[in-house]
Amino acid sequence: MPIDPPTLTMTFFVNTSPLAGRSGKKLTSRMIGERLFKEAETNIALRVTQSANNEAFEVSGRGELQLGILIETMRREGFELSVSRPRVVMHDGPNGEKMEPVEEVVIDVDDEFSGVVIEKMTKRKATITEMKASGNGKTRIVFSAPSRGLIGYLSEFRTDTRGTGVMNRVFSGYEPYRGPILQYRPGVLVSMENGVTTTFALHNLEPRGILFVGPQTEVYSGMIIGEHSKENDLEVNPVRGKELTNIRSVTSDEKLFLAPPRKMSLEESLSYIQDDELVEITPATIRLRKKELDSNIRKKTRKNSEI
């Protein structure tokens, strides 16, 4: 029986954040490499290659579910690492055209949610190949969808269908590239300091966007602590404390209230990050960060790209 080829690839990096080693004990390139190559020996659908500097590993597999399970398993085993956004494995066609992996997606959903599912899947370059009633107020929709359009969609699908929808995916082959998929994501709030977040600082940052962290959370320079309400990234200070004065103001003792921070799963985090960002994974937590932690280098790189 033929084995489906890898359709998705990710880069696994050695964790270099200032908080590395706080909750995990397996974080060296040797430990990570041994674990990945051992997995590839028993899992023939997985391919692993090591970078020239031995600090990163290209891991290719059959879809984000397989790679997500591997990451979650390593996390529970005590590994710490950082991973890139998933990328599909493209091929060249017989005439040099770009070919991409395509999947058959079978969705069973309540009739009331079929419209939003069709809308979301169409935006992701999926086409309907079959649609029929499946009884008890449900509809079965079969799509032909590019794998890249499905990255991160499962969590959105669950929300749109209120947890009642069922999705099954099967690799169907490589087809000509279906064109760009427009997906908008605002900029992010990036910590410019190392330390522990304060309620005062986060309260002042709430008008700027949606926070991913709450008070008394360890952060570091280059760590993503929220989503900006605008398109650009914004460097912020989430550890700033309230200045003390000798004069007691009327509002000095007022209690500050914060909205609950937005918590993302591993799947949501992997689909959320951009090419210049990573997901930092430890046994205790999942963090988002810029690939380059030094803000000066990030600014210089951004200026060079605009020239």
Side-chain angles (χ1 to χ4, degrees), residues 189 191 195-203 205-206 210-220 223-226 237-240 256-264 285-287:
L189 302 176
S191 175
V196 177
T197 58
T198 65
T199 301
F200 174 75
L202 296 180
H203 178 76
L205 291 176
E206 277 195 325
I210 301 171
L211 298 177
F212 298 159
V213 298
Q216 299 302 305
T217 301
E218 281 195 281
V219 297
Y220 54 83
M223 178 175 162
I224 297 171
I225 60 103
N237 183 354
V239 305
R240 183 165 63 95
L256 302 178
F257 293 95
L258 296 173
R262 176 183 173 185
K263 297 295 185 182
M264 287 191 282
T285 188
I286 295 174
R287 306 183 186 95

Side-chain angles (χ1 to χ4, degrees), residues 238-252:
V239 305
R240 183 165 63 95
K242 188 172 184 179
E243 295 182 4
L244 300 177
T245 63
N246 293 326
I247 303 175
R248 190 169 184 174
S249 67
V250 175
T251 59
S252 62

Side-chain angles (χ1 to χ4, degrees), residues 79-306:
F79 283 88
E80 280 198 21
L81 64 154
S82 296
V83 297
S84 70
R85 179 181 171 84
R87 311 177 304 279
V88 294
V89 179
M90 308 292 282
H91 286 177
D92 291 329
N95 299 315
E97 70 273 30
K98 187 160 60 172
M99 307 285 284
E100 67 175 329
V102 173
E103 302 179 33
E104 181 183 74
V105 184
V106 180
I107 290 178
D108 290 294
V109 64
D110 291 344
D111 293 342
E112 62 180 304
F113 303 128
S114 60
V116 66
V117 169
I118 292 173
E119 179 186 358
K120 293 288 183 70
M121 289 290 285
T122 302
K123 287 181 178 179
R124 293 167 179 264
K125 299 295 183 181
T127 57
I128 298 176
T129 59
E130 184 182 354
M131 182 173 175
K132 62 181 181 180
S134 56
N136 297 322
K138 288 186 175 293
T139 300
R140 169 164 290 186
I141 314 170
V142 182
F143 293 92
S144 170
S147 297
R148 61 191 168 95
L150 298 172
I151 296 175
Y153 177 61
L154 182 57
S155 60
E156 194 173 333
F157 171 75
R158 290 175 181 144
T159 300
D160 289 341
T161 62
R162 298 178 186 172
T164 61
V166 178
M167 178 193 298
N168 291 292
R169 299 164 50 177
V170 179
F171 173 75
S172 59
Y174 273 81
E175 297 182 8
Y177 179 68
R178 297 190 182 183
I181 297 174
L182 300 179
Q183 290 181 306
Y184 170 76
R185 195 208 74 175
V188 289
L189 302 176
V190 185
S191 175
M192 59 193 301
E193 298 288 345
N194 299 336
V196 177
T197 58
T198 65
T199 301
F200 174 75
L202 296 180
H203 178 76
N204 289 329
L205 291 176
E206 277 195 325
R208 300 295 187 96
I210 301 171
L211 298 177
F212 298 159
V213 298
Q216 299 302 305
T217 301
E218 281 195 281
V219 297
Y220 54 83
S221 178
M223 178 175 162
I224 297 171
I225 60 103
E227 180 177 277
H228 195 196
S229 57
K230 298 182 180 180
E231 293 186 4
N232 62 299
D233 293 346
L234 182 66
E235 297 207 16
V236 297
N237 183 354
V239 305
R240 183 165 63 95
K242 188 172 184 179
E243 295 182 4
L244 300 177
T245 63
N246 293 326
I247 303 175
R248 190 169 184 174
S249 67
V250 175
T251 59
S252 62
D253 292 328
E254 287 185 0
K255 188 172 180 62
L256 302 178
F257 293 95
L258 296 173
R262 176 183 173 185
K263 297 295 185 182
M264 287 191 282
S265 65
L266 174 61
E267 176 195 353
E268 292 169 325
S269 298
L270 291 174
S271 64
Y272 183 84
I273 58 173
Q274 301 291 336
D275 291 339
D276 66 333
E277 298 164 354
L278 299 173
V279 179
E280 180 187 348
I281 296 156
T282 79
T285 188
I286 295 174
R287 306 183 186 95
L288 307 185
R289 52 164 283 185
K290 286 295 182 179
K291 188 176 293 185
E292 175 53 62
L293 297 180
D294 191 309
S295 61
N296 293 322
I297 296 178
R298 291 201 306 272
K299 290 175 184 176
K300 187 179 297 184
T301 302
R302 187 165 57 248
K303 287 181 180 179
N304 291 337
S305 65
E306 295 172 352

